Amino acid sequence: MDTLARIKDQIESTPVLLYMKGTPDFPQCGFSAKAVACLKEVGEPFAYVNILQDPEIRAELPKYANWPTFPQLWVKGELIGGCDIITEMHQAGELAPLLADIEWPDET
């Protein structure tokens, strides 16, 4: 599967997906750390892709998304934005309702 197909599959099959530098337990940039902190405060599940371990995704996702920076939060196939937007939505009380009641595919 080529990189763009992998990106498309990840976005379409994962209800809440954060492309970030590092992992939620060990973010490797301040912007990723801030985005993760907001998501953890909301308390809803989210998946992540560590772009530092996947240079192809790191190179291709900005073109696919037409969004040049990381992190990138995708919800139900739609790009929500990066760190500033995630933070602003969280502070305005808009992030929690966006992530509430999202159905995740069964892991069967």
Side-chain angles (χ1 to χ4, degrees), residues 1 14 19 25 28 32 37-38 42 62 66 78-79 89 95 100:
M1 184 181 301
T14 311
Y19 287 95
D25 291 331
Q28 301 213 318
S32 291
C38 290
V42 168
N66 197 24
E78 180 182 339
L79 176 62
M89 289 181 73
L95 190 60

Side-chain angles (χ1 to χ4, degrees), residues 83-104:
C83 178
D84 290 345
I85 291 172
I86 295 166
T87 302
E88 289 169 12
M89 289 181 73
H90 182 54
Q91 291 172 343
E94 299 168 353
L95 190 60
L98 177 69
L99 302 180
D101 301 322
I102 289 184
E103 293 189 28
W104 285 75

Side-chain angles (χ1 to χ4, degrees), residues 5-22:
R6 281 194 308 131
I7 290 169
K8 189 173 187 218
D9 181 61
Q10 289 171 342
I11 290 169
E12 289 176 354
S13 66
T14 311
V16 181
L17 181 60
L18 183 68
Y19 287 95
M20 63 178 292
K21 294 179 179 178

Side-chain angles (χ1 to χ4, degrees), residues 5 12 14-16 19 22 33 36 40 42-43 49 57-58 61-62 69 74-75 80 83 98 103-104 108:
E12 289 176 354
T14 311
V16 181
Y19 287 95
V36 165
K40 284 185 173 182
V42 168
V49 172
I57 287 182
R58 184 178 185 180
L61 184 60
T69 59
W74 292 78
V75 177
I80 302 304
C83 178
L98 177 69
E103 293 189 28
W104 285 75
T108 55

